[in-house]
Amino acid sequence: MDSQLLERTAAELVAAGKGILAADESNGTMSSRLEAVGVKASAETRRGYRTNIFATAGYEIAVGGVILFDETIRQSMDDGTSVPDYLTSRGVHPGIKVDTGAKELAHHSGEKITEGLDGLRERCAEYFAMGARFAKWRAVIRIGEGIPSPANISTNAHALARYAAICQEQGLVPIIEPEVLMDGDHTAERCYEVTAEILDATFAACKTQGVHVPGALLKPNMVMSGKACPEQASRAEVAQLTVDCLTQHVPHDLPGIVFLSGGQSDEDATAHLNLMNSMDVDHPWQLSYSYGRALLAHALQTWASGSGEDSQNAFAHRASMNSLARSGSWSAELEG
Ligand code: 13P
């Protein structure tokens, strides 16, 4: 394992003012998002929409890496440059989603286990040769009556740790993503308990597998009320609960935490990150973003209505707002 390379890549991904763009929706998910805004989905429309975003001017001050799907890392920009070579030439690390999706967990109705470990070493080696320098694997944890079960937590923690070890062996910084979903009517306190439990299990498994924590990143949910909970935690409560939970349950030698947006509004995702970075405490890790929808929802709508330039402007705006939130310098007035 080249721990120096891993630590350097991780530090570059969460350098001051920078976060990550998650553009790694599977073909199925990306196609439904395109169809939802009236665009016929195909490999070419997925390429056209995404490469237009990648060609946006100036976003490299806000984005240190872009997570790609297997289809996209093999596609090219309009001038024929491969997508990973183009991103690298802009100073943006190409990343790759390497899990093969969350499947039903046997004997545990409603719970999921993320698959993709078989052949992972060979796939990581191929992606590294194509220019990828980091990877993502997403585990999905649902809160409900009697769930998550111990089986759901331990199998996902084990898979995340094995994935992380294999990536590191192949020179890719693993983004470890145990996502506790916002779906449900649970309170923010219940989200705290479950998030704490999955983080403990994940880092214990990482320790067992020998994962080099200073060469990895964590992509967690924020600690929030379920979408259907009648009592919603305020922005300030979300920020405080999240930082408390992470401080207690995430190793302090991890270089960075890059949140997912998980269905939050664009502005909530930015405001929460801004509040966390405005606290009068020195957090042990960089607190940053790896947003998908909260960076691109508006950009997708504008692209569908026909303007590549407006789509780039919508993305550039959200990227700059989140970049400001990295240092607590965002305010609602800047939203215009
Ligand atoms: P969202 O920010 O849209 O939740 O996507 C981030 C991601 O990559 C989820 O795996």
Side-chain angles (χ1 to χ4, degrees):
M1 174 176 66
D2 184 345
S3 44
Q4 274 184 356
L5 169 69
L6 297 170
E7 288 172 31
R8 192 171 64 241
T9 306
E12 286 166 0
L13 288 168
V14 292
K18 292 195 190 186
I20 292 171
L21 167 64
D24 61 318
E25 299 90 346
S26 64
N27 286 348
T29 304
M30 191 67 244
S31 297
S32 358
R33 288 192 185 158
L34 284 167
E35 305 269 356
V37 293
V39 176
K40 188 162 165 40
S42 67
E44 181 49 28
T45 51
R46 291 189 290 269
R47 189 201 71 82
Y49 159 64
R50 283 171 163 152
T51 53
N52 181 63
I53 293 291
F54 303 157
T56 301
Y59 69 96
E60 51 277 68
I61 58 163
V63 173
V66 176
I67 317 175
L68 304 168
F69 188 63
D70 180 77
E71 176 181 82
T72 322
I73 201 170
R74 299 174 193 282
Q75 289 177 323
S76 297
M77 305 297 290
D78 289 344
D79 70 359
T81 312
S82 82
V83 166
D85 284 356
Y86 176 77
L87 291 172
T88 305
S89 76
R90 294 281 303 266
V92 173
H93 284 302
I96 182 76
K97 170 191 172 78
V98 297
D99 68 69
T100 55
K103 311 286 164 57
E104 290 299 312
L105 178 64
H107 297 316
H108 293 81
S109 165
E111 296 192 289
K112 298 206 156 157
I113 174 68
T114 300
E115 297 187 349
L117 290 171
D118 288 353
L120 181 58
R121 170 175 286 122
E122 292 73 20
R123 288 191 292 126
C124 285
E126 185 193 10
Y127 291 135
F128 185 92
M130 294 171 88
R133 288 296 175 270
F134 72 106
K136 180 187 111 170
W137 178 290
R138 172 174 177 253
V140 185
I141 309 293
R142 184 177 292 279
I143 300 180
E145 192 70 34
I147 61 170
S149 64
N152 190 28
I153 291 182
S154 66
T155 47
N156 275 299
H158 175 261
L160 279 165
R162 283 210 50 216
Y163 139 80
I166 292 170
C167 284
Q168 290 189 328
E169 184 196 80
Q170 298 302 319
L172 300 175
V173 169
I175 295 188
I176 298 169
E177 181 177 4
E179 175 175 1
V180 177
L181 296 174
M182 283 166 70
D183 301 341
D185 61 359
H186 53 272
T187 60
E189 288 68 30
R190 176 88 179 112
C191 180
Y192 186 113
E193 282 169 18
V194 172
T195 304
E197 203 178 343
I198 183 78
L199 290 173
D200 285 349
T202 300
F203 285 107
C206 284
K207 194 164 182 205
T208 306
Q209 299 299 329
V211 173
H212 179 59
V213 171
L217 296 172
L218 174 72
K219 177 161 173 167
N221 51 285
M222 295 182 196
V223 175
M224 313 184 63
S225 322
K227 271 192 285 201
C229 179
E231 221 170 280
Q232 291 289 311
S234 67
R235 283 178 173 175
E237 286 164 340
V238 168
Q240 191 63 56
L241 287 167
T242 303
V243 164
D244 288 349
C245 187
L246 296 172
T247 305
Q248 300 289 327
H249 300 279
V250 176
H252 289 193
D253 56 347
L254 185 86
I257 292 177
V258 290
F259 293 102
L260 58 95
S261 60
Q264 298 182 46
S265 72
D266 294 358
E267 203 171 311
D268 276 349
T270 306
H272 287 142
L273 182 64
N274 190 66
L275 281 166
M276 290 185 230
N277 280 314
S278 313
M279 289 175 182
D280 203 10
V281 226
D282 272 339
H283 305 302
W285 355 255
Q286 295 296 314
L287 282 178
S288 185
Y289 54 91
S290 173
Y291 294 157
R293 286 162 285 180
L295 278 169
L296 291 180
H298 193 50
L300 175 61
Q301 273 164 4
T302 42
W303 189 78
S305 61
S307 171
E309 196 183 328
D310 288 352
S311 179
Q312 292 183 336
N313 290 340
F315 163 57
H317 175 68
R318 289 266 43 93
S320 71
M321 293 295 103
N322 286 299
S323 181
L324 290 170
R326 288 279 283 108
S327 55
S329 317
W330 172 85
S331 69
E333 297 78 67
L334 296 170
E335 291 291 342

